[in-house]
Amino acid sequence: NAGVMQNPRHLVRRRGQEARLRCSPMKGHSHVYWYRQLPEEGLKFMVYLQKENIIDESGMPKERFSAEFPKEGPSILRIQQVVRGDSAAYFCASSREPGQGTGELFFGEGSRLTVL
Amino acid sequence: DQQVKQNSPSLSVQEGRISILNCDYTNSMFDYFLWYKKYPAEGPTFLISISSIKDKNEDGRFTVFLNKSAKHLSLHIVPSQPGDSAVYFCAVIRDSGAGSYQLTFGKGTKLSVIP
């Protein structure tokens, strides 16, 4: 089952450390999206990437957060100098076309970041 | 500023009965409406969707109704099964087509189907 693969599933960091979350899209999918779910909230869009390009980062915090999708390898969401408020579930999704035209995205199982 | 509201955090229904999950939205410009289902420790999975030009879409046991004048969306599951127990998220898209990756989600409703 070559679904969207995310790792690590769980990550614990102390304040000030860096967190790196990885996402491999489904086979045949070249569009990757990152969403964040804070506790007791719905998922919120962060960024949309294609290979080597950031298409839409309108949902990304202005500081400490960055994302990339290199020509080879998985997409990476990087959070520098983490703070407790970054504790959340980070979901990656992929699609063959942008949102398939209907909003149907294929989500991974998520990476749960805990900042101590 | 919550654009998508799911006012019931949880819902319990007896197996075999109908489950009705509700969602209200604020912006009449939303173009497409979706329901996602999420089991614990898994990612959301797409369930069913409806375009703003329709008022009903049916897929097996799942039917989504759209009331544009009331800005209200509902998901009906009938008959409900224990395997339907999950968190259901309502989501909307402002711009379908090229912009249809940017979903706005509600906070979710946890459905428990009691055997």
Side-chain angles (χ1 to χ4, degrees), chain A residues 42-76:
Chain A
L43 284 76
K44 287 189 171 25
F45 168 78
M46 299 180 76
V47 62
Y48 160 33
L49 310 105
Q50 294 180 27
K51 285 284 186 183
E52 300 185 280
N53 283 305
I54 297 174
I55 308 302
D56 181 353
E57 56 182 349
S58 58
M60 286 278 270
K62 295 287 182 266
E63 297 177 347
R64 301 187 298 107
F65 284 72
S66 62
E68 62 176 8
F69 190 13
K71 187 176 180 181
E72 301 292 337
S75 175
I76 308 273

Side-chain angles (χ1 to χ4, degrees), chain A residues 9 33 35 37 40-45 48 55-56 58 91 98-110 112, chain B residues 32-34 36 38-46 49 89 93 96-108:
Chain A
R9 293 291 307 278
Y33 321 87
Y35 278 75
Q37 185 183 22
E40 310 299 325
E41 296 289 326
L43 284 76
K44 287 189 171 25
F45 168 78
Y48 160 33
I55 308 302
D56 181 353
S58 58
F91 291 96
Q100 309 284 90
T102 58
E104 183 178 353
L105 305 181
F106 297 87
F107 282 88
E109 293 179 324
R112 278 148 188 85
Chain B
Y32 224 87
F33 304 85
L34 308 96
Y36 275 78
K38 184 181 180 302
Y39 293 115
E42 293 187 10
T45 55
F46 171 79
S49 64
F89 291 97
I93 299 173
S96 64
S100 59
Y101 55 85
Q102 196 170 137
L103 280 61
T104 300
F105 284 86
K107 292 186 178 184

Side-chain angles (χ1 to χ4, degrees), chain B residues 59-102:
Chain B
D59 183 3
R61 297 186 297 114
F62 303 91
T63 303
V64 57
F65 294 92
L66 177 62
N67 182 334
K68 288 186 286 293
S69 60
K71 298 193 185 72
H72 181 80
L73 186 73
S74 63
L75 174 68
H76 292 209
I77 307 172
V78 56
S80 302
Q81 298 174 354
D84 296 329
S85 297
V87 177
Y88 289 79
F89 291 97
C90 169
V92 301
I93 299 173
R94 183 189 299 273
D95 171 26
S96 64
S100 59
Y101 55 85
Q102 196 170 137

